[in-house]
Amino acid sequence: MNAPIKTTRFAAEAFSDWARGLTADAVPTRAREVAKLALIDHVGLAVSARREPYVEAILASWDAEGPCTAFGHGRGFDAAGAALVNGVASHGEDYDDTFEGNPVHTSTVVIPAVLAVCERYGRSGADALAGIVAGGEFICRMALVAPTAVHRAGFHPTAVIGALGAAVGTGVALGLNARQLTDALGVAGSMASGIIEYLAEGTWTKRLHPGWAAQAGIRAALLGKHGFLAPRSVIEGEHGFFFAFAAPGIERRYGELTDGLGERFHMESIAFKPYACGTMTQPFIDCAIRLAEGGVRAEDVEDVLCRVGEGTVHRLWEPLAEKRRPSTPYSAKFSVPYCVAVGLVDRAAGLGQFTEARIADPALLALTGKVRYEIDPDDEYPRNYSGDVTVRLRDGSERRVRQPHMRGGAREPLSEAEILSKFDANLAFGGLAEAGAELRALCERLFEMDDLSALGRIRARFG
């Protein structure tokens, strides 16, 4: 079959032309530093969930073996299997980094895919860096094209955008040329999937999404490399990505994909989460903790009002009965009533706050039943994630706290020390605290390695 006649330049071609020329030497200092911190955070998160039932189910279901590493496991996987396990594990507790411009997770998709292909095909740490930055940049920019539209259409942006982002990341790491990379994007458009119906019962399918997107991106990149033809118009075409996966009526700004490429790196501003739950719940937890630290006691609270962005209601507030009494620990992670209550009571929202025992605590549930919402027409979501909580106490007095932005994001980033402390805590939670220094050192030097064979050597530590 002959290649189609080229008549115009599409977004996938323009991005691919830039991405295929990205080298480690061209990555700005800040982007390189963010990529390193994202790698450290990713490894800690993957280890923390290594014994969780949903990870064990993935392990039991995957029968292919190979030379690739799933962090926390002694068994070697093929590239797709390693990408799947690492993607599921690192995203499983919703503690992974996110992009503020429109909520989407980047590293939990791109890093598993890129590391797997680099390990499988003998690529260097420099190749891994270029792939992680290019794939992350693509995902961030895609999220800005039509903010909220993918969620409103019933799809999980991390899942559907992630498949294309993983194709970019792996394609760059493998050295694909611009045409091969464009075809990889076209193929990934037909592999993208992931609906948000997991919200109905707090089930596990959201956890699957980034790992599935990572392995799909690998397959798409390999097909593109070997000449499999796919539509160049995959993104903005009449029946392209934003026709299929985004609600109508929201402006498509395709220029976000290519404007300022190489000059501005959106992935430099990804947000590292301080709490182990949904992105937009984070500022509300900060408000709750500040109220508790200011002397508000849960037993004195009569009413809790949260002022929220309209676009968050269908995921974090409704159905209200489920949000006030989460049926599973995972459901609790996407419940502002629960997260506010646990912030007021525990002054924390780490892995230990989202367990079967904690979500069943009668005193905590008594408080979640008092948490309600009111839509704030001036809320800046999705451009900015803020929190606004007012409590009315038994004596009739009111206390109000506002968190103007997401802590851990571009306006108030977590320090490297905070991210490393989170890494240590995650390794301890996963029962591998003794491997912390070795794993951190590996992450620190990975981008300078001639190959990633060190990942295979460290598997012996996992047992």
Side-chain angles (χ1 to χ4, degrees):
M1 178 180 177
N2 294 327
I5 298 173
K6 183 168 181 173
T7 58
T8 189
R9 184 172 173 82
F10 293 102
E13 293 178 296
F15 193 93
S16 295
D17 191 49
W18 169 79
R20 59 93 185 171
L22 182 67
T23 64
D25 290 340
V27 172
T29 300
R30 177 57 184 164
R32 184 187 184 98
E33 178 66 15
V34 169
K36 182 194 74 174
L37 293 174
L39 176 62
I40 292 170
D41 196 46
H42 168 76
V43 171
L45 290 164
V47 169
S48 75
R50 70 191 186 109
R51 294 171 174 165
E52 294 299 320
Y54 54 89
V55 173
E56 291 180 345
I58 296 291
L59 295 170
S61 74
W62 203 263
D63 58 4
E65 297 186 355
C68 302
T69 301
F71 294 105
H73 306 282
R75 167 187 166 193
F77 292 83
D78 64 346
L84 178 64
V85 175
N86 283 329
V88 171
S90 62
H91 182 62
E93 297 306 313
D94 229 79
Y95 209 178
D96 51 315
D97 64 57
T98 189
F99 179 59
E100 290 181 272
N102 186 29
V104 65
H105 300 274
T106 57
S107 302
T108 193
V109 176
V110 174
I111 290 178
V114 169
L115 293 186
V117 297
C118 287
E119 203 171 2
R120 168 66 178 83
Y121 295 102
R123 306 298 290 187
S124 69
D127 294 326
L129 173 61
I132 289 168
V133 171
E137 186 66 13
F138 180 86
I139 290 176
C140 293
R141 285 174 173 267
M142 279 284 281
L144 294 173
V145 171
T148 76
V150 175
H151 270 127
R152 289 177 185 274
F155 291 100
H156 185 197
T158 302
V160 293
I161 295 174
L164 279 71
V168 169
T170 54
V172 168
L174 290 170
L176 271 60
N177 63 36
R179 177 52 196 266
Q180 291 170 329
L181 200 53
T182 300
D183 282 333
L185 279 168
V187 170
S190 286
M191 292 182 168
S193 64
I195 59 175
I196 60 174
E197 185 59 17
Y198 61 82
L199 291 167
E201 298 177 309
T203 49
W204 292 355
T205 49
K206 181 178 187 287
R207 289 167 158 148
L208 176 67
H209 291 168
W212 192 257
Q215 62 86 33
I218 291 174
R219 187 57 54 201
L222 291 172
L223 284 167
K225 178 181 179 179
H226 292 286
F228 196 97
L229 300 181
R232 296 175 290 123
S233 55
V234 61
I235 293 171
E236 71 272 61
E238 182 181 359
H239 299 103
F241 183 93
F242 284 95
F243 172 83
F245 295 116
I250 296 174
E251 180 187 5
R252 273 60 164 157
R253 304 192 304 262
Y254 293 114
E256 295 285 357
L257 272 169
T258 55
D259 291 348
L261 270 176
E263 300 170 6
R264 180 182 180 187
F265 285 76
H266 291 278
M267 58 78 57
E268 292 180 350
S269 64
I270 59 174
F272 293 92
K273 286 185 177 180
Y275 306 119
C277 50
T279 301
M280 284 81 69
T281 66
Q282 310 266 321
F284 290 93
I285 296 169
D286 279 328
C287 291
I289 291 174
R290 283 164 55 194
L291 285 164
E293 290 174 343
V296 171
R297 300 186 308 167
E299 57 267 32
D300 293 333
V301 172
E302 289 287 342
D303 178 73
V304 183
L305 173 64
C306 299
R307 293 173 176 84
V308 306
E310 187 272 336
T312 70
V313 170
H314 73 291
R315 298 196 305 285
L316 303 179
W317 286 96
E318 298 294 345
L320 190 57
E322 168 66 22
K323 299 304 182 182
R324 283 177 168 171
R325 298 184 70 89
S327 54
T328 69
Y330 198 54
S331 179
K333 290 174 178 287
F334 307 99
S335 159
V336 177
Y338 179 84
C339 289
V340 166
V342 84
L344 278 166
V345 175
D346 291 358
R347 303 188 190 184
L351 295 173
Q353 273 66 50
F354 298 94
T355 65
E356 293 285 357
R358 199 72 195 98
I359 69 167
D361 181 82
L364 196 57
L365 292 176
L367 185 56
T368 64
K370 300 176 182 178
V371 183
R372 58 190 177 93
Y373 72 92
E374 175 183 282
I375 293 174
D376 179 1
D378 297 323
D379 190 282
E380 296 180 306
Y381 175 83
R383 188 173 69 254
N384 179 40
Y385 308 151
S386 60
D388 190 323
V389 179
T390 300
V391 296
R392 187 179 74 248
L393 304 179
R394 284 193 293 184
D395 63 6
S397 65
E398 290 189 349
R399 309 275 185 87
R400 181 180 180 182
V401 171
R402 176 172 169 77
Q403 174 64 26
H405 50 254
M406 180 179 173
R407 193 167 60 84
R411 297 168 180 82
E412 190 181 346
L414 297 186
S415 67
E416 182 172 350
E418 288 175 300
I419 294 171
L420 293 175
S421 177
K422 175 183 171 183
F423 170 82
D424 289 340
N426 282 333
L427 257 65
F429 190 88
L432 281 177
E434 70 281 359
E438 188 175 359
L439 278 171
R440 176 180 166 186
L442 185 150
C443 293
E444 294 273 3
R445 67 178 190 275
L446 187 138
F447 298 145
E448 284 76 46
M449 292 178 178
D450 293 333
D451 59 55
L452 302 194
S453 57
L455 294 181
R457 292 193 294 272
I458 206 171
R459 284 205 299 269
R461 295 292 305 274
F462 302 146

